[in-house]
């Protein structure tokens, strides 16, 4: 891993350090070579954020072949400085700090626009990945030409749609996939761009489900891979404050948990 970091650092002078906005650490050293961009929206996710970041740093995929794009949506905890430390240590990491938008759609869209890789994968800030997750997903999507790939998820202190992940399917049925509308999936960027698919922004209820459903309908091939424990979905810890301290913790009749952890249905 140390050798890979040195190799990436040598590439830094060749990468245009253009900031798309104030608070942006700039393009990663792997921006031109990454196969997958991992987009992480973050808001006051400590201490769980450290768990997710560590699992990304421990991936066995060559660092030149992936980049992490973390979009801090106005955090007020120590997560801001932790993100910056990871970006300083790992040349394939990018951190974008922005004013709080109050909803996860905006930071996810910022992350999409900040990358150019063939695939995009979305993580929540308080979950974690298996160490082989990114390499296995990219290999699977390449081999089977998947536009959308749902990796096997493991619930930690919460339930998941276990029947969906019971076996691998290289061409899954739409009616089966509609049981999982959470965004923790691998998406082909060409699919997103060709159909102009992005997350709704603003206070849109179930905005991730809207985006994922559009992808299913436009996808030429949607798949499920169940050969490995890819993604560990941890129980959400409720907090007293919400995305905006002055807002109610009820939005459209549903309790909202911060750190973009709100789910109205099993993933």
């Amino acid at each position: 891993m140390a050798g890979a970091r040195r190799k990436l650092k040598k590439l830094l002078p060749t990468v245009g350090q253009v900031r798309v906005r104030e608070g942006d650490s700039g393009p990663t050293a792997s921006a031109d070579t990454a196969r997958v961009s991992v987009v992480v929206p973050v808001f006051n996710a400590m201490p769980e954020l450290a768990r997710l970041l560590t699992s990304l740093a421990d991936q066995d995929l060559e660092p030149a072949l992936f980049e992490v794009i973390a979009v801090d949506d106005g955090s007020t905890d120590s997560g801001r400085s932790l993100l910056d430390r990871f970006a300083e240590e790992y040349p394939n990491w990018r951190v974008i700090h922005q004013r709080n938008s109050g909803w996860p759609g905006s930071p996810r869209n910022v992350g999409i626009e900040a990358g150019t890789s063939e695939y995009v994968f979305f993580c929540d800030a308080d979950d974690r990945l298996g160490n082989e997750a990114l390499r296995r997903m990219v290999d699977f999507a390449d081999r089977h030409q998947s536009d959308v790939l749902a990796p096997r998820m493991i619930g930690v202190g919460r339930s998941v749609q276990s029947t969906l992940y019971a076996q691998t399917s290289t061409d899954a049925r739409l009616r089966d996939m509609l049981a999982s509308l959470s965004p923790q999936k691998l998406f082909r960027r060409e699919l997103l761009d060709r159909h102009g698919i992005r997350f709704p922004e603003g206070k849109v209820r179930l905005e991730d489900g809207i985006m994922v459903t559009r992808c299913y309908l436009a996808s030429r091939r949607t798949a499920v891979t169940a050969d490995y424990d890819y993604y560990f979905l941890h129980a959400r810890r409720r907090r007293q404050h919400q995305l905006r301290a002055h807002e109610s913790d009820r939005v459209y009749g549903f309790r909202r948990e911060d750190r973009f952890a709100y789910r109205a249905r099993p993933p």
Side-chain angles (χ1 to χ4, degrees):
M1 181 64 72
R5 290 180 200 162
R6 288 194 295 271
K7 181 179 178 182
L8 278 174
K9 286 179 179 178
K10 290 180 181 178
L11 294 174
L12 279 172
T14 68
V15 178
Q17 295 300 309
V18 178
R19 267 62 171 176
V20 297
R21 61 184 65 208
E22 184 180 357
D24 181 359
S25 65
T28 69
S30 59
D32 294 332
T33 59
R35 300 294 316 287
V36 57
S37 299
V38 181
V39 175
V40 186
V42 180
F43 178 78
N44 287 357
M46 291 296 285
E48 293 88 349
L49 175 63
R51 175 177 62 207
L52 183 275
L53 300 185
T54 299
S55 76
L56 289 171
D58 289 343
Q59 290 298 301
D60 69 353
L61 182 63
E62 175 72 26
L65 298 180
F66 78 98
E67 62 179 355
V68 176
I69 302 174
V71 183
D72 169 35
D73 200 49
S75 293
T76 58
D77 65 3
S78 60
R80 289 177 55 89
S81 59
L82 180 64
L83 289 170
D84 290 337
R85 290 200 299 272
F86 269 81
E88 290 175 3
E89 182 174 1
Y90 298 99
N92 62 325
W93 289 50
R94 179 175 187 171
V95 173
I96 300 172
H97 297 286
Q98 67 176 29
R99 187 184 301 274
N100 179 254
S101 69
W103 215 262
S106 171
R108 286 181 177 137
N109 288 340
V110 168
I112 294 172
E113 299 300 332
T116 59
S117 61
E118 185 175 355
Y119 300 107
V120 182
F121 184 79
F122 298 98
C123 288
D124 275 353
D126 50 1
D127 293 327
R128 64 184 173 91
L129 278 74
N131 293 355
E132 303 173 15
L134 293 180
R135 174 178 56 80
R136 284 173 172 265
M137 284 190 289
V138 169
D139 287 347
F140 185 100
D142 283 347
R143 190 163 59 252
H144 300 289
Q145 295 298 297
S146 309
D147 279 345
V148 181
L149 175 61
R152 175 181 171 86
M153 301 178 73
I154 303 298
V156 181
R158 59 173 298 174
S159 62
V160 298
Q161 286 285 354
S162 56
T163 55
L164 179 65
Y165 307 114
Q167 62 182 10
T168 294
S169 173
T170 59
D171 196 1
R173 298 179 301 182
L174 175 61
R175 67 180 183 182
D176 293 332
M177 294 308 303
L178 287 174
S180 176
L181 297 180
S182 66
Q184 295 92 349
K185 295 173 177 66
L186 189 76
F187 298 90
R188 190 177 295 274
R189 183 182 296 276
E190 191 268 340
L191 172 75
L192 303 180
D193 291 345
R194 173 161 45 93
H195 296 280
I197 299 175
R198 295 295 187 268
F199 290 91
E201 298 188 13
K203 295 181 179 180
V204 179
R205 185 177 130 199
L206 311 183
E207 86 295 331
D208 50 357
I210 294 172
M211 180 271 191
V212 172
T213 300
R214 289 188 64 196
C215 288
Y216 287 160
L217 293 174
S219 173
R220 290 164 296 194
R221 177 170 293 176
T222 300
V224 176
T225 178
D227 63 338
Y228 178 72
D229 294 343
Y230 288 86
Y231 194 94
F232 294 84
L233 192 74
H234 285 256
R236 310 307 184 188
R237 181 159 62 89
R238 294 188 186 278
R239 301 192 180 191
Q240 304 241 335
H241 67 280
Q242 305 301 319
L243 290 180
R244 294 183 187 273
H246 64 273
E247 290 182 350
S248 168
D249 66 353
R250 295 265 173 188
V251 178
Y252 301 110
F254 291 88
R255 172 170 291 277
R256 187 205 306 167
E257 301 174 37
D258 73 359
R259 294 167 286 116
F260 310 130
Y262 167 67
R263 295 283 180 271
R265 65 226 167 270

